[in-house]
Structure formats: structure tokens, C-alpha cells
């Protein structure tokens, strides 16, 4: 069995990017400058990237009138990057999508189809990015989406970074809070075994039992932890799970230079952050 695919990033959907960025900067993160996606995506972001080669994407749907909506009647069906976050933001802020690292988005689409994982047309896009020295460059990505009918409020995708030489920069990774890598992502689910099995199915990640749920291996030293809603609320009573229609992303674990108390969802735009000393 494979050990699964490493976590590339989380998409943290927020209603006000500037306000959310101020919150995360106060938490000790260095963020990249604001970047605007293509109009068909309708979104803009700022990123907290880590030396461990994954990141938090803080995302606002700032042009909802231009984004291309889901079209599941197409062959292959079209999954809307911006539409997924817009739908979630009608209820709350938080993680709308979990992203795995990839080197060939189309090969991953074929992999999903063979495994019986619902997937969609590969989405290719480019955007401008500003380097630490101020130069503007073009970065490019290909995305392969996957969803589970048992998890209607969340989505997954694989991100093929087609210009990594312009993306990863040490200047953006020296965080005041000592953050080094996202090592775990939490899903709150009424049926942890079922939903952990779906996550494992995507990339043959090993599943192990943990307190109140199951963990799915995602590369070396990373995992998705699928726990009951009650267990998630024990970790953070400020989580707002009442309106959830099934499983939702609840929080993350970040390895850092010094262990500290968990940051609650009420202070981090809808997700808790566990801080674990590396």
C-alpha cells in the first residue's frame, strides 16, 4: 500500500480577504501580496507558505458576478473553483477545499476514474504573482477535483504547480510564529470510518484508528484526521457545526518551533489551529 499523497494546501474561504489577512498576520504569519485569479474563478488570495512545501491559501470570492458556476451536465463535468467557496460562504467561513500535491493533473484524473472516485474536467489556469523583490511573474496550475456524495459541503483537488520556480520563496516562509508545515487536517464527520475510507481511496493512504475516528496517511509525516463532531468540539468549542449538512473541515495542525495553545476557530476565520513543536 502507498502512504498517500502529501498535503499541498488548504483553501480557507473568507468573506473579507483584507480583514482575514490582518488576523493571520496578527497570528504571526507572513503573507504573500494579494493576487487576483482569472475572472472565471472570481477569486483573489493571499498565501502563508511554509518551508515544508505546503501552505494556507486565504481566499475571497471578490467577483461573484464573473465566476463560472458548476456545470455537472457537461461531459466531463465542470467543477467551479470559486463556486465551491461561494456556496460555503453562504453559511460560514472556513476550509472549503483540501488540496494534495501532484505532478500530472491528467494522470490523477485518470487515476480517480479507475478508482471510482467522482472527478471532473481538469482545470488549467494562470495568475500573476509578485516576488519578494517586487518583480511580477506568471504562475500556472492544473487542478483535478474530486468529491464524495457523502461529503456534499467539502471538496478535494490535486494541484499540479507548473511554475514552482516562481512560487516557493524562503522570504515568505520565515514566520514570526515559527510555522514550518501543515502536518494534519481535521474533518468533523458523523461517520469517520466511511469518510476516511474515501480519502484513503484517492491515493491509497494507510488508515489507522485514532481516538474518536480514523487517520489517513498523506505522505511522510502528514495525515487527514476524520473525527466525530463531538471530538472536534472537544478540541475547540468555538467551532460552528450546527448548520453543517454532513462532514466539514474543522481545523489543522501546524508543526512549529515552539508548542503553544490551540488557536480557536473564533480567532482564525472558522478553523482551529493546533500548534505542535517540530
Amino acid at each position: 500500500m502507498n502512504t498517500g499523497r502529501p498535503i499541498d494546501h488548504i483553501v480557507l474561504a473568507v468573506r473579507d480577504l483584507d480583514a482575514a489577512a490582518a488576523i493571520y498576520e496578527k497570528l504571526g504569519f507572513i503573507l504573500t501580496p494579494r493576487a487576483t485569479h482569472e475572472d472565471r474563478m472570481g477569486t483573489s488570495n493571499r498565501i502563508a507558505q511554509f518551508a515544508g512545501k505546503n501552505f494556507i491559501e486565504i481566499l475571497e470570492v471578490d467577483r461573484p458576478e464573473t465566476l463560472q458556476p458548476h456545470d455537472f451536465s457537461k461531459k466531463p463535468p465542470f467543477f467551479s473553483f470559486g463556486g465551491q467557496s461561494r456556496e460555503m460562504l453562504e453559511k460560514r467561513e472556513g476550509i472549503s477545499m483540501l488540496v494534495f500535491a501532484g505532478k500530472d493533473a491528467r494522470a490523477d484524473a485518470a487515476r480517480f476514474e479507475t478508482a471510482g472516485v467522482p472527478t471532473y474536467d481538469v482545470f488549467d489556469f494562470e495568475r500573476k504573482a509578485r516576488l519578494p523583490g517586487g518583480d511580477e511573474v506568471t504562475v500556472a496550475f492544473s487542478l483535478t477535483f474530486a468529491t464524495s456524495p457523502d461529503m456534499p459541503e467539502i471538496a478535494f483537488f490535486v494541484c499540479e504547480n507548473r511554475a514552482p520556480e516562481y512560487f516557493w520563496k524562503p522570504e515568505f516562509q520565515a514566520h514570526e510564529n515559527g510555522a514550518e508545515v501543515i502536518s494534519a487536517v481535521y474533518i468533523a464527520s458523523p461517520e469517520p470510518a466511511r469518510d476516511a475510507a474515501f480519502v484513503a481511496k484517492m491515493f491509497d493512504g494507510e488508515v489507522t484508528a485514532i481516538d474518536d475516528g480514523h487517520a489517513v496517511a498523506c505522505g511522510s509525516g502528514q495525515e487527514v484526521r476524520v473525527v466525530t463532531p463531538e471530538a472536534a468540539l472537544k478540541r475547540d468549542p468555538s467551532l460552528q457545526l450546527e448548520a453543517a449538512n454532513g462532514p466539514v473541515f474543522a481545523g489543522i495542525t501546524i508543526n512549529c518551533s515552539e508548542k503553544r495553545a490551540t488557536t480557536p476557530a473564533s480567532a482564525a476565520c472558522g478553523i482551529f489551529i493546533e500548534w505542535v513543536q517540530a
Side-chain angles (χ1 to χ4, degrees), residues 9-48:
H9 69 280
I10 59 166
V11 178
L12 178 61
V14 300
R15 296 188 175 97
D16 185 328
L17 181 56
D18 291 338
I23 289 170
Y24 271 73
E25 287 173 336
K26 189 174 180 179
L27 290 173
F29 293 99
I30 292 174
L31 302 180
T32 59
R34 187 183 185 111
T36 299
H37 291 127
E38 299 175 7
D39 280 347
R40 60 183 175 147
M41 299 169 76
T43 51
S44 294
N45 71 17
R46 295 188 69 181
I47 288 170

Side-chain angles (χ1 to χ4, degrees), residues 2-278:
N2 293 333
T3 58
R5 188 73 67 82
I7 295 167
D8 187 78
H9 69 280
I10 59 166
V11 178
L12 178 61
V14 300
R15 296 188 175 97
D16 185 328
L17 181 56
D18 291 338
I23 289 170
Y24 271 73
E25 287 173 336
K26 189 174 180 179
L27 290 173
F29 293 99
I30 292 174
L31 302 180
T32 59
R34 187 183 185 111
T36 299
H37 291 127
E38 299 175 7
D39 280 347
R40 60 183 175 147
M41 299 169 76
T43 51
S44 294
N45 71 17
R46 295 188 69 181
I47 288 170
Q49 63 173 241
F50 306 121
K53 292 296 185 288
N54 59 24
F55 61 95
I56 298 170
E57 177 179 13
I58 308 174
L59 184 94
E60 177 187 357
V61 182
D62 57 351
R63 286 157 293 132
E65 71 282 357
T66 69
L67 69 79
Q68 185 177 354
H70 296 307
D71 187 349
F72 300 147
S73 65
K74 290 183 67 177
K75 300 295 182 185
F78 174 78
F79 190 91
S80 173
F81 176 89
Q84 171 69 18
S85 292
R86 180 178 62 176
E87 290 175 3
M88 198 198 80
L89 286 168
E90 292 174 357
K91 295 183 178 181
R92 65 187 179 279
E93 294 185 317
I95 300 171
S96 60
M97 293 177 278
L98 170 60
V99 190
F100 298 98
K103 296 181 179 179
D104 187 332
R106 284 162 175 79
D108 282 324
R111 175 193 180 91
F112 288 163
E113 289 180 1
T114 298
V117 172
T119 191
Y120 305 84
D121 196 13
V122 174
F123 185 77
D124 302 305
F125 76 97
E126 298 179 352
R127 68 168 174 83
K128 297 297 183 181
R130 193 164 298 281
L131 299 179
D135 292 340
E136 189 175 72
V137 296
T138 299
V139 292
F141 308 89
S142 295
L143 315 181
T144 300
F145 294 95
T147 60
S148 164
D150 297 317
M151 295 186 273
E153 293 197 11
I154 65 180
F156 307 88
F157 66 87
V158 182
C159 181
E160 177 189 348
N161 187 336
R162 293 186 280 120
E165 68 277 14
Y166 292 138
F167 187 83
W168 299 107
K169 296 300 176 186
E171 295 92 331
F172 290 136
Q173 298 166 12
H175 303 283
E176 181 183 337
N177 57 30
E180 297 178 2
V181 69
I182 300 170
S183 57
V185 175
Y186 282 89
I187 296 174
S189 166
E191 297 192 42
R194 177 198 67 192
D195 296 329
F198 176 84
V199 176
K201 188 177 184 180
M202 285 190 281
F203 298 110
D204 294 330
E206 182 180 2
V207 180
T208 57
I210 59 174
D211 289 344
D212 299 309
H214 294 78
V216 183
C218 299
S220 177
Q222 300 176 13
E223 59 189 18
V224 173
R225 298 170 184 163
V226 190
V227 300
T228 64
E230 295 77 15
L233 287 167
K234 285 181 183 177
R235 286 174 169 83
D236 177 14
S238 79
L239 281 169
Q240 297 183 6
L241 303 180
E242 299 83 0
N245 179 25
V248 294
F249 293 113
I252 61 175
T253 300
I254 291 181
N255 289 6
C256 59
S257 56
E258 183 178 345
K259 181 176 173 58
R260 67 198 69 189
T262 295
T263 302
S266 58
C269 302
I271 63 167
F272 65 78
I273 303 175
E274 288 184 337
W275 303 91
V276 175
Q277 188 170 10

